[in-house]
Amino acid sequence: MACLSIDSVSKFFGGHKALDDVTFSVNEGELVGLIGPNGSGKTTLLNILSGYLSADSGDIVLDGRPITGLRPEALARLGVLRMFQLTRVFPRMSVLDNLLVTGSALGLPEAEADGRARELIEDLTLTRMMHLDAGQLSGGQRKLLEFGSCFMVPPRIALLDEPFAAVHPTMKEIMAGVIRRRHAAGQTFLLVSHDMPVIVELCPRAICMNAGAVIADEKTRAVLTDPVVIEAYLGEAAA
Ligand SMILES: Nc1ncnc2c1ncn2[C@@H]1O[C@H](COP(=O)(O)OP(=O)(O)OP(=O)(O)O)[C@@H](O)[C@H]1O
Ligand SMILES: [Mg+2]
């Protein structure tokens, strides 16, 4: 069953078409990789799916319900949760409080939020940092924290924008492990990454974008060997 359906979504920035008739669905329980050269529109699509930008045309449906144009807060309450390419945490709050604030914003009762936050902190190996201000964490640890905040209430779909970029390999492995385990437990993901080995390892299916359009949507290995995809990346290298 489709969890999220994207139908003919387009977006212009001035005269530049950043998204060109993007259409695909993510089924419940799928872990779909979203790849494509720099500037191909991946973050713009995630911004639209999570309500931070509005589409110029097209429709987005979650669990059979139109969600086009809803604000980020409303989408978060419906279970569309988003991790940013540039990390966003509250730097003057402790690691634990960062997660509790997210839990409270999502309507989680305090005791439940506390239990869940401590579980996540352990899962993310942040136990020793739990009472430190988030601003004192390394960049990679901040990414882990933001990643964790997506799971305070298990989302209908988690939209992750380059969670592994510029993080220490140990933290990358921690995040990949959490994604793998949650996917095995039925969690639905759309995962943007330039890290092809991780995409191959984690994602059975991948979608490649180029110049705002979907150019491939197949099994991950087939996408990576698709001549159209290779040409898109080579074009980027030559540019
Ligand atoms: N707010 C904006 N205003 C104007 N142009 C924008 C804006 N945001 C993105 N763009 C342009 O839209 C296109 C798509 O950008 P986007 O950030 O979605 O690409 P991306 O696939 O996420 O790239 P990367 O892999 O480098 O993160 C690019 O040409 C970019 O310059
Ligand atoms: Mg991006």
Side-chain angles (χ1 to χ4, degrees), residues 81-171:
L81 282 202
R82 157 75 188 284
M83 183 177 171
F84 287 87
Q85 189 168 356
L86 299 172
T87 310
R88 295 184 172 189
V89 294
F90 302 109
R92 286 166 192 247
M93 268 187 195
S94 73
V95 167
L96 179 62
D97 285 346
N98 261 274
L99 293 176
L100 293 178
V101 163
T102 306
S104 144
L106 293 172
L108 212 57
E110 210 175 311
E112 205 179 322
D114 191 71
R116 184 155 265 277
R118 286 169 194 273
E119 241 172 65
L120 278 168
I121 285 171
E122 196 168 320
D123 234 13
L124 298 167
T125 64
L126 290 173
T127 311
R128 281 192 302 124
M129 275 60 95
M130 177 155 82
H131 299 296
L132 289 185
D133 281 358
Q136 291 176 266
L137 300 180
S138 71
Q141 290 167 333
R142 276 204 292 272
K143 276 220 162 192
L144 281 183
L145 175 58
E146 192 194 343
F147 175 80
S149 68
C150 287
F151 299 100
M152 276 300 286
V153 175
R156 285 296 297 146
I157 183 163
L159 309 171
L160 307 181
D161 199 355
E162 302 203 22
F164 315 116
V167 303
H168 188 277
T170 310
M171 285 167 203

Side-chain angles (χ1 to χ4, degrees), residues 47-65:
N47 282 338
I48 288 173
L49 296 177
S50 54
Y52 289 88
L53 272 180
S54 53
D56 292 325
S57 57
D59 295 304
I60 303 160
V61 171
L62 178 75
D63 294 323
R65 166 190 174 159

Side-chain angles (χ1 to χ4, degrees), residues 11-14 16-19 35-47 53 85 161-162 192 194 209 212 236:
K11 175 74 183 174
F12 285 86
F13 291 117
H16 176 68
K17 199 167 196 180
L19 292 181
I35 64 167
N38 293 118
S40 55
K42 306 178 298 296
T43 296
T44 303
L45 180 63
L46 258 55
N47 282 338
L53 272 180
Q85 189 168 356
D161 199 355
E162 302 203 22
V192 173
H194 286 289
M209 294 179 66
E236 183 198 34

